[in-house]
């Protein structure tokens, strides 16, 4: 895997593209998840960790709107874009049926990604829950490329909900919790002993809202800089319809265009 | 090339395809995907006198072939528009129209006056049909008297092209259209969203914070077509048709039913290049059927 990514500085307002990508592989993981790899004849556009794509799933009345999916990884060596997807409804289940060679229309890259650490921030913790771990692989790869040694802390309900562990391990030390103790430490990510053993300067997190709130509360209590990636319901993905807002210190902001990544100090979370 | 030029009152358009308010931002959001100067017009987000935060999240639910929204006219107010947004977008080579909303007649008038002073805004669309605000909005558009009162007041304060956007949430839309015409509107546009509702059965909860919201998208087209047909027969002023237009064929159906121009809304979310495809598709249709001008098919439905 070659993740050499040009993003040492965070570009705002990157050009967006509408592309027909070709499925290279579509692999079932642990029953209810898929790892999709897409390619294109042209070089894939630049994308930043934390940005997402809006995918068009055609052909039924229940998948009228596009589906937002995080950029899981971009492999520049093979010109491949990866998505990690949980099958929850009609749209994602249709994606699971796609075969090598099929085309998929995507709009990308959307939103603003995670911000890079400041010079004072050395120890970085990337906390993911369930399929929310998706954007953290690309983030970890980019951080690793910049010379950091990121730590991953991944939580899941059970062993079968842990995804891409091998891939994460190539970019940093990886710790795991499961709620049913089938793998790693038992409990939630915020119970993991690594949090007592090591002091972190910055935390990035993506996953179910209750998990992100618990992580944000831990970060706030310990004075650690923390960014979360939100998954609000979206219609346009472009900042045009104002459907996807979250409450911030400056009023309603669009998760699709002002986020999906927010610093917790800008949100109005009761933590 | 067939002649696609279209006039609505004093408004001159290179083609009859505009974008619907609230679905296309200020146009800039789509500039990576299409050449904005190819559009007949861009109708920007509903603008009110004062800043509005809009309704709480969640504001959107997908429904079969459509969606329900309850954005609630979130915008930064007309002064912010004039100072910050207008300078950014005014030189776009297309017509920029402002969708004007309010809670009282005075609000509508004051907002329209501010917009009247802007050189590069040739027309407004008066929104008397928003289902997502507690006061005003749709209340003005559901009775002939209140619709006529607000239109007459704005007419006095606004001297460029005045398009009035009608609500489909009424028993007799043709009557409202006539009242609005008599009060001095240059044109009517229809339809705004239909009041709808979506429920999460598992959680026994509404899917949007306001419980009810506005339905749009492909699913509303048959209702919108019927209303355009009824209104076009009832009034002499030009009708702008919208509601569920997803492609060029849908657009042609609106012209046949009597619309002189059309707007595209929700379809922009699914294909950000849809407007250009519709413009090209209208031209293809006219050429294929041997019509020289878009005007040749307005109201050309053969019913006998
Ligand atoms: C910025 C962003 C990035 C995302 N990245 C990923 C990703 O990398 N991998 C992934 O598997 N999913 C991701 N999601 C969530 C994904 O968009 C939804 O799971 C998907 O749209 C569901 O489509 P569906 O047609 O299968 O299900 P639907 O039939 O639409 O819904 C099925 C169930 O999923 C729930 N659901 C639908 N949309 C969302 C949402 N946005 N967030 C949470 N729950 C939802 C519904 O409430 C319903 O209970 C992301 C969402 C956002 C906003
Ligand atoms: C998210 C969203 C926001 C909207 N905001 C406005 C608005 O501010 N003012 C207005 O007059 N109509 C607004 N509308 C209504 C549309 O302009 C249009 O009348 C309606 O969606 C029907 O057309 P469509 O089916 O092509 O979308 C909005 C619609 C949507 C979906
Ligand atoms: S989804 Fe339309 S503004 Fe975010």
């Amino acid at each position: 895997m070659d993740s050499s990514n040009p993003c040492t500085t965070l570009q705002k307002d990157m050009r967006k593209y509408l592309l027909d990508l070709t499925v290279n592989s579509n692999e079932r993981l642990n029953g209810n998840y898929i790892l999709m790899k897409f390619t294109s004849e042209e070089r894939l556009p630049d994308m930043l960790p934390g940005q997402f794509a809006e995918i068009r799933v055609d052909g039924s009345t229940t998948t009228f709107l596009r589906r937002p999916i995080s950029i899981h990884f971009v492999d520049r060596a093979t010109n491949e874009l990866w998505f990690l997807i949980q099958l929850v409804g009609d749209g994602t289940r249709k994606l699971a049926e796609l075969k090598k060679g099929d085309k998929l229309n995507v709009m990308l890259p959307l939103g603003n990604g995670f911000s890079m650490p400041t010079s004072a921030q050395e120890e970085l913790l990337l906390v993911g829950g369930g399929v929310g771990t998706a954007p953290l692989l690309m983030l970890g790869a980019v951080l690793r490329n910049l010379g950091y040694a990121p730590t991953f802390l991944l939580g899941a309900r059970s062993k079968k909900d842990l995804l891409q562990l091998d891939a994460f391990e190539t970019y940093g030390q990886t710790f795991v919790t499961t709620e049913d103790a089938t793998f790693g430490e038992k409990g939630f990510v915020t119970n993991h002993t690594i949090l007592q053993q090591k002091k972190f300067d910055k935390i990035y997190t993506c996953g179910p809202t209750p998990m992100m709130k618990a992580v944000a509360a831990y970060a706030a209590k310990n004075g650690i800089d923390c960014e979360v990636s939100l998954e609000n319901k979206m219609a346009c993905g472009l900042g045009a319809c104002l459907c996807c807002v979250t409450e911030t210190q400056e009023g309603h902001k669009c998760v699709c265009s002002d986020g999906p990544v927010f610093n917790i100090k800008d949100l109005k979370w009761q933590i | 090339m067939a002649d696609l030029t279209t006039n609505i009152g004093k408004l001159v358009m290179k083609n009859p395809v505009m974008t619907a308010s609230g679905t296309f931002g200020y146009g800039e959001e789509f500039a990576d995907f299409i050449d904005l100067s190819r559009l007949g017009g861009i109708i920007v987000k509903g603008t009110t006198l004062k800043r509005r935060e809009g309704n709480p999240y969640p504001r959107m639910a997908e429904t079969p072939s459509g969606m329900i929204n309850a954005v609630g006219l979130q915008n930064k107010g007309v002064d912010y528009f004039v100072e910050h947004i207008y300078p950014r977008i005014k030189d776009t080579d297309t017509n920029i129209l402002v969708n004007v909303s309010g809670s009282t007649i005075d609000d509508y008038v004051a907002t329209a006056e501010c917009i009247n002073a802007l050189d590069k805004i040739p027309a407004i669309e008066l929104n008397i049909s928003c289902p997502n605000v507690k006061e005003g909005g749709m209340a003005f558009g559901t009775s002939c008297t209140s619709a006529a009162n607000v239109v007459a007041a704005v007419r006095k304060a606004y001297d460029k092209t005045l398009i009035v956007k009608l609500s489909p949430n009424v028993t007799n839309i043709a009557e409202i259209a006539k009242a609005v015409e008599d009060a001095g509107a240059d044109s009517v546009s229809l339809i705004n969203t239909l009041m709808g509702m979506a429920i999460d059965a598992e959680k026994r909860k509404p899917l949007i914070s306001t419980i009810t919201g506005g339905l749009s998208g492909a699913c509303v087209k048959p209702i919108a077509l019927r209303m355009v047909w009824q209104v076009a027969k009832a009034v002499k002023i030009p009708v702008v048709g919208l509601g569920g237009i997803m492609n060029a064929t849908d657009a042609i159906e609106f012209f046949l039913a009597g619309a002189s121009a059309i707007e595209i809304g929700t379809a922009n979310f699914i294909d950000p290049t849809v407007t250009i495809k519709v413009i090209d598709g209208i031209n293809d249709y006219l050429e294929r059927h041997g019509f020289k001008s878009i005007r040749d098919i307005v109201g050309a439905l053969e019913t006998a």
Side-chain angles (χ1 to χ4, degrees):
Chain A
M1 288 192 290
D2 168 17
S3 65
S4 46
N5 194 291
C7 74
T8 34
T9 52
L10 218 148
Q11 287 164 269
K12 269 223 161 195
D13 299 324
M14 290 166 71
R15 215 207 115 137
K16 302 177 181 81
Y17 297 82
L18 190 64
L19 302 171
D20 284 317
L21 300 181
T22 311
V23 180
N24 241 1
S25 65
N26 190 359
E27 190 189 341
R28 262 301 165 136
L29 305 180
N30 309 355
N32 205 35
Y33 302 88
I34 49 175
L35 175 63
M36 302 187 84
K37 299 185 179 178
F38 292 90
T39 190
S40 161
E41 274 160 34
E42 326 241 304
R43 180 185 179 275
L44 289 166
D46 289 339
M47 290 169 246
L48 301 175
Q51 289 188 306
F52 66 98
E54 279 276 10
I55 296 184
R56 181 158 177 181
V57 190
D58 263 337
S60 95
T61 57
T62 54
T63 50
F64 183 65
L65 298 168
R66 285 175 182 263
R67 296 292 188 264
I69 299 291
S70 304
I71 313 282
H72 179 42
F73 192 76
V74 180
D75 191 338
R76 290 289 169 199
T78 54
N79 198 39
E80 269 183 343
L81 168 64
W82 301 6
F83 294 129
L84 182 65
I85 298 172
Q86 183 174 15
L87 310 184
V88 294
D90 282 2
T92 47
R93 278 196 282 270
K94 277 222 189 71
L95 290 173
E97 291 164 14
L98 291 183
K99 303 254 170 344
K100 185 177 168 68
D102 287 345
K103 298 271 187 207
L104 192 72
N105 185 263
V106 300
M107 200 158 79
L108 84 196
L110 306 179
N112 296 306
F114 295 102
S115 66
M116 291 298 113
T118 63
S119 53
Q121 295 172 332
E122 269 293 315
E123 289 296 341
L124 310 173
L125 180 66
L126 282 59
V127 187
V131 78
T133 52
L136 300 183
L137 183 64
M138 172 141 171
L139 177 63
V142 167
L143 291 171
R144 186 69 190 230
N145 250 301
L146 293 173
Y148 294 93
T151 304
F152 296 101
L153 175 54
L154 309 177
R157 210 156 267 160
S158 184
K159 186 166 185 238
K160 66 175 181 2
D161 304 305
L162 281 165
L163 302 162
Q164 293 283 79
L165 275 189
D166 292 348
F168 283 105
E169 278 165 355
T170 51
Y171 298 111
Q173 249 198 314
T174 304
F175 299 92
V176 171
T177 59
T178 50
E179 290 171 38
D180 63 358
T182 43
F183 199 87
E185 291 187 15
K186 180 178 163 47
F188 298 112
V189 283
T190 41
N191 307 128
H192 199 283
T193 47
I194 185 70
L195 295 179
Q196 274 89 58
Q197 290 158 15
K198 209 163 168 180
K199 198 185 158 302
F200 293 98
D201 303 315
K202 176 148 188 162
I203 300 178
Y204 300 95
T205 181
C206 183
T209 307
M211 183 211 86
M212 288 197 290
K213 285 195 171 162
V215 172
Y218 169 83
K221 196 167 133 235
N222 293 282
I224 304 171
D225 189 21
C226 179
E227 290 184 9
V228 300
S229 181
L230 304 184
E231 289 199 354
N232 285 8
K233 290 272 167 66
M234 295 180 178
C236 72
L238 297 169
C241 73
L242 311 184
C243 285
C244 63
V245 292
T246 190
E247 290 229 42
T248 73
Q249 306 294 351
E250 296 167 47
H252 280 138
K253 285 204 169 182
C254 292
V255 169
C256 71
S257 54
D258 296 308
V261 176
F262 290 91
N263 197 296
I264 55 166
K265 65 179 194 299
D266 298 327
L267 295 175
K268 285 193 147 175
W269 281 4
Q270 309 293 330
I271 47 173
Chain B
M1 272 296 281
D3 178 10
L4 294 186
T5 56
T6 300
N7 294 1
I8 300 285
K10 284 176 273 181
L11 177 69
V12 181
M13 301 194 287
K14 53 190 114 180
N15 64 61
V17 177
M18 296 186 278
T19 57
S21 176
T23 64
F24 205 67
Y26 295 96
E28 305 159 308
E29 294 85 346
F30 289 81
D32 281 347
F33 303 108
I34 62 165
D35 175 2
L36 297 175
S37 73
R38 288 209 54 205
L39 300 173
I42 296 173
I43 307 182
V44 305
K45 179 69 198 163
T47 303
T48 50
L49 188 59
K50 296 266 152 49
R51 177 189 172 104
R52 288 180 57 97
E53 271 301 305
N55 292 318
Y57 180 83
R59 293 177 169 184
M60 192 279 292
E62 190 177 25
T63 56
S65 298
M67 59 177 274
I68 292 180
N69 90 83
V71 172
L73 293 176
Q74 178 180 331
N75 78 103
K76 292 185 170 160
V78 72
D79 290 341
Y80 184 92
F81 175 79
V82 171
E83 270 169 52
H84 299 282
I85 302 171
Y86 175 68
R88 240 170 39 213
I89 62 173
K90 71 180 174 45
D91 295 321
T92 316
D93 181 21
T94 182
N95 292 298
I96 308 272
L97 283 70
V98 176
N99 179 269
V100 170
S101 291
S103 329
T104 65
I105 291 189
D106 290 347
D107 281 6
Y108 276 105
V109 171
T111 310
E113 273 174 349
C114 292
I115 305 292
N116 202 30
L118 304 176
D119 280 352
K120 299 278 180 73
I121 308 285
I124 58 173
E125 179 178 61
L126 199 69
N127 177 6
I128 56 166
S129 43
C130 182
N132 293 326
V133 289
K134 285 213 185 68
E135 286 159 22
M138 195 171 85
F140 285 103
T142 48
S143 103
C144 290
T145 322
S146 57
N149 287 345
V150 64
V151 172
V154 170
R155 180 73 284 177
K156 278 199 214 110
Y158 188 78
D159 49 36
K160 296 182 227 173
T161 300
L162 172 59
I163 304 171
V164 179
K165 187 164 182 181
L166 304 181
S167 171
N169 303 301
V170 295
T171 326
N172 188 338
I173 195 164
E175 266 179 16
I176 311 258
K178 271 193 284 186
V180 162
E181 177 181 41
D182 292 343
D186 296 311
S187 167
V188 285
S189 58
L190 59 141
I191 58 174
N192 207 319
T193 53
L194 282 147
M195 277 264 260
M197 186 165 164
I199 292 176
D200 184 332
E202 290 304 316
K203 296 188 180 136
R204 291 180 289 282
K205 286 196 172 139
L207 277 165
I208 52 176
S209 67
T210 49
I211 304 174
T212 62
L215 181 67
S216 66
C219 60
V220 308
K221 189 184 74 169
I223 299 171
L225 266 179
R226 180 267 291 179
M227 290 187 159
V228 165
W229 163 249
Q230 289 175 322
V231 167
K233 281 192 300 180
V235 298
K236 294 186 192 67
I237 51 178
V239 175
V240 178
L242 74 152
I245 298 178
M246 304 303 291
N247 53 45
T249 309
D250 292 341
I252 298 291
E253 291 166 15
F254 278 80
F255 293 113
L256 295 173
S260 297
I262 56 125
E263 298 175 21
I264 299 180
T266 305
N268 291 298
F269 305 158
I270 292 142
D271 179 358
T273 67
V274 64
T275 44
I276 305 300
K277 290 179 185 156
V278 170
I279 295 166
D280 292 341
I282 292 171
N283 183 62
D284 289 349
Y285 176 91
L286 295 175
E287 287 184 347
R288 195 155 46 83
H289 288 268
F291 293 111
K292 288 204 177 59
S293 159
I294 182 71
R295 289 182 289 278
D296 297 342
I297 65 163
V298 173
L301 186 70
E302 297 170 13
T303 50

